[in-house]
Amino acid sequence: MATEKRQPAAKSRPKAEAVDVEDPTVTADATTFVQKKELIDRIVAATGMKKKDVKPVVEATLAALGEALSRGEALNVRPLGKVQVNRKKEHGNAEVLTARIRRITGGETAPQDPLAEVAE
């Protein structure tokens, strides 16, 4: 008698839906994922720069942030905030990082350009 091996049911990740973060009725249970393409599009819209110029900078920035967090380094990058890895676990071919992010809310002004103006 041949026995059949059952394949475990594939876990499907629920598709993230857009949530208005300014909406006070939105709870912390609502999860949205901003994909890299959307992040790049938002930066292009905010800066007016060309997508071909923004994309390599965003990719390099994300890589540097990811590497720093993997090494257990704490980040202090405004306006994102302070990011500190609390736990790190190897899981197959991936790392699972549990981090705490502390952001300043309310009353924060736009960051000022730290560079001095060119003297005439």
Side-chain angles (χ1 to χ4, degrees):
M1 190 183 326
T3 59
E4 292 182 33
K5 286 189 174 181
R6 294 177 119 183
Q7 295 293 332
K11 293 181 181 179
S12 62
R13 178 179 278 172
K15 187 170 181 169
E17 57 186 61
V19 176
D20 181 8
V21 294
E22 298 297 323
D23 184 358
T25 62
V26 173
T27 64
D29 295 339
T31 302
T32 60
F33 296 96
V34 177
Q35 301 295 325
K36 183 169 56 172
K37 180 185 181 314
E38 184 180 349
L39 180 63
I40 291 169
D41 291 342
R42 288 180 184 184
I43 294 169
V44 166
T47 63
M49 295 176 66
K50 293 182 181 178
K51 189 173 187 174
K52 69 176 186 152
D53 296 330
V54 170
K55 185 176 179 182
V57 173
V58 169
E59 289 175 342
T61 301
L62 293 174
L65 292 172
E67 290 167 6
L69 292 172
S70 287
R71 289 190 300 266
E73 296 175 334
L75 303 174
N76 187 5
V77 287
R78 283 188 150 185
L80 176 62
K82 293 181 182 179
V83 182
Q84 184 173 1
V85 175
N86 291 338
R87 284 179 286 187
K88 180 178 174 180
K89 180 180 176 184
E90 298 295 326
H91 186 67
N93 62 346
E95 277 181 318
V96 178
L97 302 175
T98 304
R100 185 181 92 209
I101 302 175
R102 181 174 183 198
R103 300 195 64 198
I104 296 174
T105 57
E108 183 176 4
T109 60
Q112 297 179 4
D113 189 0
L115 301 176
E117 294 296 321
V118 176
E120 292 187 49

